[in-house]
Amino acid sequence: MLPDIALRLAKINTLDGRAGYVQGDEIIARGWAKYLRRLGVNVVLCGKHDRAAGDVVAHFSLQSEPDSGKKNVLYLQNAFPPEEYQGGTVGMFHRVKSDFDAFLFPSETLMRACAPGGVVPFATDPEWVTPGRVTNRLPVSFAGNNIRSEQHNARFLEQALPELALFGSGWNGILGSACRGPLPVVHLPDLYRRTDVNLNAHIEEHARNGVVNLRVFDVLACGAFCLSDPHEAMQALFGDAVPVTQGGLALVEDLKHYLECPNERYWCAQEGRRIVLAGHTWAYR
């Protein structure tokens, strides 16, 4: 009989946006739970201080306290920039690894830098992130919290103004004035579908460790077009289906090009969706 599993999150019930930051951790954990239950596994989600049921606790934060008497598994999906944390994500891992019994990583690159373990990359749930009817089109949008460096924001987001529709929490300055506030997760597929160019900018530490972020999989699952910052691991997965921009003034030219080329956007979106459905869903993971 398969054991009960608890997925421990630093924060829980964040997905409506009213609590401030929508936590990508929770989106991922709920995807795991949904499809593990279909395999007959009893899975529960719990917050930082909730009592965890079951034999195994999968911690979605390395700052989580291990549970006494249980098998503690760390899923190292958070990013810790080296500018703020000595040694970055890998350095943080080595400071806490003795607290855990086993490890899961969102990329093979990160696993090799840390310790032997399983690799569970991000993915999508094609049962709710789907193509659909489109109304009230937007030329350019970005949905995400302000957790990238100012330099990265300036290079890959600011140059999209004034067309950019920005959604999320923590934005300030020129991007803050363009922000339309947090977006409940239930509305994300609609945003992706009705946006001509969905911008993507990875957290820099994720990119350094070969982690392709959740947004890319979700945008493509909607049959929508994604224009991303350069990322070797992402480009290896999706090739020409996800064009990249060098940002800055090049982003201005790239946006002009793709906004004027709906057939090219359509090909990329359909090819991207095909690739995602073939091997980047939570059921597949």
Side-chain angles (χ1 to χ4, degrees):
M1 182 176 179
L2 292 171
D4 291 350
I5 297 174
L7 307 181
R8 186 177 291 286
L9 302 168
K11 293 183 179 180
I12 200 167
N13 298 326
T14 71
L15 301 188
D16 65 2
R18 290 176 293 183
Y21 279 66
V22 169
Q23 300 290 318
D25 316 26
E26 187 171 356
I27 299 173
I28 295 164
R30 290 189 181 277
W32 283 28
K34 176 179 177 178
Y35 288 96
L36 282 169
R37 285 168 185 152
R38 292 187 182 180
L39 297 176
V41 183
N42 184 18
V43 184
V44 295
L45 271 66
C46 59
K48 185 175 182 180
H49 301 295
D50 296 334
R51 183 176 179 180
D55 306 315
V56 178
V57 183
H59 299 262
F60 275 58
S61 170
L62 55 69
Q63 296 170 315
S64 181
E65 291 290 331
D67 289 59
S68 177
K70 300 180 186 296
K71 186 82 168 183
N72 291 279
V73 180
L74 173 63
Y75 183 45
L76 190 62
Q77 52 84 38
N78 291 131
F80 295 88
E83 298 81 9
E84 300 177 36
Y85 302 91
Q86 186 177 2
T89 303
V90 175
M92 288 289 289
F93 169 82
H94 284 294
R95 285 193 280 278
V96 303
K97 68 178 182 179
S98 61
D99 293 340
F100 299 93
D101 302 298
F103 310 103
L104 297 170
F105 303 93
S107 77
E108 187 170 341
T109 299
L110 188 57
M111 181 194 70
R112 289 177 176 175
C114 291
V119 177
V120 187
F122 298 155
T124 191
D125 180 355
E127 293 184 356
W128 79 275
V129 188
T130 63
R133 293 185 60 188
V134 173
T135 58
N136 301 319
R137 294 206 69 89
L138 293 169
V140 186
S141 77
F142 178 84
N145 299 319
N146 185 14
I147 52 178
R148 293 151 194 80
S149 69
E150 291 183 7
Q151 294 81 3
H152 213 62
N153 288 340
R155 182 178 172 188
F156 292 104
L157 296 177
E158 287 183 14
Q159 294 294 331
L161 296 171
E163 289 85 2
L164 177 66
L166 181 64
F167 299 87
S169 299
W171 296 100
N172 48 41
I174 187 172
L175 289 172
S177 64
C179 184
R180 304 187 184 187
L183 187 72
V185 166
V186 68
H187 297 317
L188 274 175
D190 178 65
L191 174 67
Y192 295 150
R193 287 190 293 257
R194 68 190 182 98
T195 297
D196 291 334
V197 177
N198 289 280
L199 282 182
N200 177 63
H202 285 86
I203 300 169
E204 297 99 307
E205 184 71 352
H206 271 167
R208 282 190 285 267
N209 289 311
V211 179
V212 180
N213 69 25
L214 192 63
R215 183 184 303 99
V216 178
F217 300 103
D218 285 346
V219 168
L220 297 178
C222 286
F225 174 76
C226 181
L227 177 64
S228 181
D229 56 346
H231 184 340
E232 184 176 348
M234 180 198 71
Q235 291 167 256
L237 288 181
F238 297 111
D240 293 339
V242 180
V244 299
T245 177
Q246 299 302 318
L249 293 178
L251 176 58
V252 177
E253 294 302 315
D254 290 333
L255 286 175
K256 182 175 184 297
H257 169 78
Y258 287 111
L259 288 171
E260 293 175 351
C261 297
N263 290 339
E264 191 171 349
R265 297 199 314 267
Y266 179 80
W267 181 89
C268 291
Q270 294 306 302
E271 177 65 6
R273 176 169 162 78
R274 182 193 67 78
I275 294 170
V276 164
L277 295 183
H280 302 291
T281 65
W282 289 125
Y284 185 89
R285 295 283 184 261

